[in-house]
Amino acid sequence: MTNINETYNDPKKLANDYVHEVYEEVKKRNAGESEFLQATREIFDSLRPVFAKNPHYIEDGILERLTEPDRIITFRVAWEDDQGKVHVNRGYRVQFNSELGPYKGGIRFHPSVNLSIMKFLAFEQIFKNSLTGQPIGAGKGGSDFDPKNKSEREIMRFVQSFMTELSKYLGPDLDVPAGDIGVGRREVGYMTGQYNRIHGGFEPGVFTGKDPNYGGSLGRKEATGYGTVYFAEEMLKTNDLHFKGSKVIVSGSGNVSTYAMEKAIELGATVIACSDSGGYIYDENGIDVETVKQIKEVEGERIKKYRKYHSTAKYVEGCEDIWSLSCDIALPCATQNELDEAAAVKLIENGLKAVAEGANMPCTQEAINLFKEHKILFAPAKAANAGGVAVSAMEMSQNSMRLSWTTEEVDERLHTVMKNIYASCLQAAEEYGHPGDLVVGANIAGFLKVANAMVSHGIR
Ligand code: NDP
Ligand code: 2IT
């Protein structure tokens, strides 16, 4: 480990050595976990000036502690399909950090789910949740279960089996999951039902993203997408740009994408394209978000079907090429690493002005480097998409108080949270020598609050 006394007179060298040594350890301990290492690497790079200015964090071993989860739960999920065949999936919950409050973060059902993806998502959640200013710690969970082509009853049975094991580790003051990819109101409903069945009685505060008729917050469904656009609008405004009159591409057509499109359109933008994992739809005159809702939320169908309602739109097989279209603002809202260097090159060539990440870590580091080089405005996920978890925390408050706020009240609070996050990112970036860099700003502002809580709570 770094000998602090030896290098104390050169704070920059001390900080660099410390970050380097801890990262090497993290790499060794988490070998092969590429998404987790990608997420930690970005944080480490941003935090050098913090350690140079505050060497006491080094003495407290903050980075070593922060990169090791409190605990990881993995378990077998056995379930029976409609034909009576038994299937086995793997369930996960990574309870990463509880310095600021109960573990909080979504549940993802997608065949790509593995430990590295769970850990990267839970790790990002530490900083995101801290940025919201609300009393929530960080976790993430899920399963490699693929909800596509499953019947309602199969999904219910899977969720019941998943929750039978996971319920042991949850509670309103312990760990409060919500949705993420493949998990929406329906799945949260089944999780709530099974938890209540096991524990007896009705406990509204163990999940967020519930149906507003049964303890959910109004405005939660819209919160991540709306919040991303609120954050992006703040960033654009600072630079004399606006959604109004802009051409926007939104990837995905799920929860985050749909409400990002809705708010961007409300602010006067034209959304020209959106996608799912099969392909993208494109219409220079603008995508109609009500049709997207009808196809995805009501019919549960693929985005390809959009052409049935709007024959002027084009459908292109394969989702990656959505970034070859020309736009002013790109909102990647589907999944991690969906926008790579080649995509960034095309977007920049086509006149891109700004990117805001609605999904978690959708841009690769190489893409982000290019954006920076070309002075493209860039809003990182942990700040830009924090509106979802922020309204989840509001749902927890409403559940505790046994009351519910109106849609307008929630939306106003969401707007305020997003403006505050933007201001604190800018302020941290400025204070630590990277004015205007929202990546560095978000990482530092998110880190400081958690690090100070860790110092105050003692070594554990
Ligand atoms: P949904 O399941 O509602 O939608 C996901 C969308 O992304 C679908 O259109 C899906 O297409 C597409 N997609 C998913 N995986 C892939 C893939 N591997 N390749 C291409 N397309 C893919 O999820 P959400 O909208 O809730 O989540 C989207 C992103 O936003 C995720 O990164 C999530 O972590 C993040 N996020 C979500 C929050 C929330 O409140 N829900 C909060 C903050 C961040 P298809 O249907 O074909 O699979
Ligand atoms: O990535 C995320 O922030 C979410 N999936 C939402 C988490 C939550 O607890 O609302």
Side-chain angles (χ1 to χ4, degrees):
M1 244 306 82
T2 310
N3 181 336
I4 290 180
N5 292 331
E6 203 177 87
T7 40
Y8 225 79
N9 51 9
D10 186 351
K12 255 191 168 158
K13 181 173 180 341
L14 171 68
N16 284 340
D17 286 355
Y18 173 62
V19 166
H20 176 75
E21 282 173 32
V22 179
Y23 188 67
E24 288 304 307
E25 271 302 310
V26 169
K27 260 197 331 203
K28 242 192 278 169
R29 185 171 289 149
N30 305 282
E33 296 181 1
S34 60
E35 293 85 2
F36 179 58
L37 293 174
Q38 183 183 343
T40 44
R41 167 112 226 186
E42 187 205 283
I43 293 278
F44 279 39
D45 284 341
S46 294
L47 292 180
R48 288 170 208 274
V50 177
F51 295 115
K53 208 167 175 179
N54 311 284
H56 68 277
Y57 291 137
I58 300 178
E59 291 182 56
D60 274 327
I62 297 289
L63 264 193
E64 294 91 320
R65 289 157 58 201
L66 198 60
T67 45
E68 191 59 28
D70 286 3
R71 68 191 64 77
I72 298 174
I73 301 143
T74 66
F75 50 95
R76 179 182 64 243
V77 189
W79 59 280
E80 210 177 329
D81 70 19
D82 290 341
Q83 283 69 46
K85 185 174 164 18
V86 175
H87 299 262
V88 172
N89 287 97
R90 185 171 292 171
Y92 300 87
R93 186 73 180 166
V94 178
Q95 297 183 330
F96 218 119
N97 190 288
S98 58
E99 298 289 349
L100 298 180
Y103 303 107
K104 183 84 198 84
I107 298 274
R108 175 179 293 192
F109 293 159
H110 194 272
S112 64
V113 162
N114 60 31
L115 186 58
S116 170
I117 290 178
M118 292 285 98
K119 281 168 69 180
F120 116 67
L121 288 164
F123 184 70
E124 291 284 288
Q125 206 82 42
I126 302 175
F127 306 90
K128 184 197 300 193
N129 293 4
S130 164
L131 282 170
T132 68
Q134 289 155 311
I136 39 178
K140 198 87 184 191
S143 175
D144 56 2
F145 172 74
D146 185 357
K148 283 201 189 79
N149 305 317
K150 301 290 188 297
S151 71
E152 282 253 1
R153 286 296 163 86
E154 286 173 333
I155 288 174
M156 184 189 76
R157 283 197 296 277
F158 171 80
V159 171
Q160 288 177 339
S161 179
F162 178 82
M163 192 43 59
T164 300
E165 183 59 26
L166 188 60
S167 67
K168 297 170 193 165
Y169 308 95
L170 308 180
D173 298 314
L174 175 59
D175 187 343
V176 183
D180 193 79
I181 292 178
V183 177
R185 239 180 225 177
R186 176 182 61 180
E187 291 72 19
V188 170
Y190 293 148
M191 289 199 260
T192 306
Q194 186 69 356
Y195 182 94
N196 287 339
R197 178 184 182 189
I198 291 166
H199 287 262
F202 183 77
E203 173 48 79
V206 193
F207 300 94
T208 61
K210 301 181 293 294
D211 188 318
N213 291 311
Y214 319 107
S217 177
L218 291 166
R220 172 62 187 89
K221 187 169 76 166
E222 296 82 358
T224 311
Y226 282 14
T228 301
V229 171
Y230 290 151
F231 188 94
E233 181 72 358
E234 288 301 301
M235 173 178 82
L236 292 166
K237 251 189 342 208
T238 314
N239 295 277
D240 280 332
L241 296 166
H242 292 278
F243 272 98
K244 195 171 169 53
S246 294
K247 249 189 346 183
V248 179
I249 297 175
V250 180
S251 62
S253 50
N255 174 259
V256 179
S257 319
T258 301
Y259 294 96
M261 287 194 255
E262 184 166 273
K263 186 53 75 176
I265 293 167
E266 199 185 305
L267 294 185
T270 305
V271 175
I272 58 157
C274 72
S275 58
D276 60 24
S277 59
Y280 67 88
I281 52 162
Y282 165 62
D283 190 341
E284 195 62 36
N285 299 316
I287 301 291
D288 174 34
V289 76
E290 291 307 319
T291 309
V292 174
K293 282 189 204 170
Q294 170 66 26
I295 296 167
K296 303 303 278 194
E297 292 181 3
V298 181
E299 301 171 16
E301 290 269 1
R302 315 294 298 156
I303 202 65
K304 194 176 185 171
K305 203 168 175 194
Y306 187 88
R307 288 203 71 241
K308 189 185 137 196
Y309 296 100
H310 300 276
S311 55
T312 54
K314 289 195 187 64
Y315 175 75
V316 181
E317 290 284 345
C319 55
E320 296 85 6
D321 270 355
I322 194 171
W323 306 121
S324 66
L325 300 170
S326 150
C327 70
D328 303 303
I329 302 166
L331 304 177
C333 294
T335 194
Q336 64 276 353
N337 292 328
E338 56 162 308
L339 197 168
D340 62 9
E341 191 174 12
V345 168
K346 285 186 210 148
L347 284 167
I348 294 166
E349 276 173 7
N350 287 333
L352 178 76
K353 299 191 183 77
V355 180
E357 296 186 313
N360 284 308
M361 206 168 75
C363 299
T364 64
Q365 191 55 55
E366 294 73 24
I368 298 171
N369 293 345
L370 268 186
F371 293 145
K372 206 166 168 180
E373 212 176 281
H374 288 85
K375 308 223 166 348
I376 308 293
L377 302 176
F378 182 74
K382 56 177 80 68
N385 75 29
V389 77
V391 173
S392 274
M394 294 176 207
E395 185 167 322
M396 290 165 74
S397 303
Q398 293 168 74
N399 290 157
S400 298
M401 293 187 288
R402 302 285 196 261
L403 53 75
S404 46
W405 296 332
T406 62
T407 304
E408 292 70 29
E409 203 170 346
V410 172
D411 191 53
E412 201 182 311
R413 286 174 192 263
L414 168 67
H415 209 150
T416 305
V417 167
M418 299 316 294
K419 283 185 178 171
N420 289 346
I421 295 176
Y422 181 69
S424 52
C425 292
L426 268 195
Q427 201 239 323
E430 176 84 34
E431 191 180 333
Y432 284 88
H434 294 263
D437 187 332
L438 296 173
V439 174
V440 171
N443 289 338
I444 294 181
F447 169 82
L448 287 173
K449 196 168 169 205
V450 183
N452 291 335
M454 289 171 79
V455 171
S456 129
H457 293 154
I459 295 167
R460 59 192 180 116

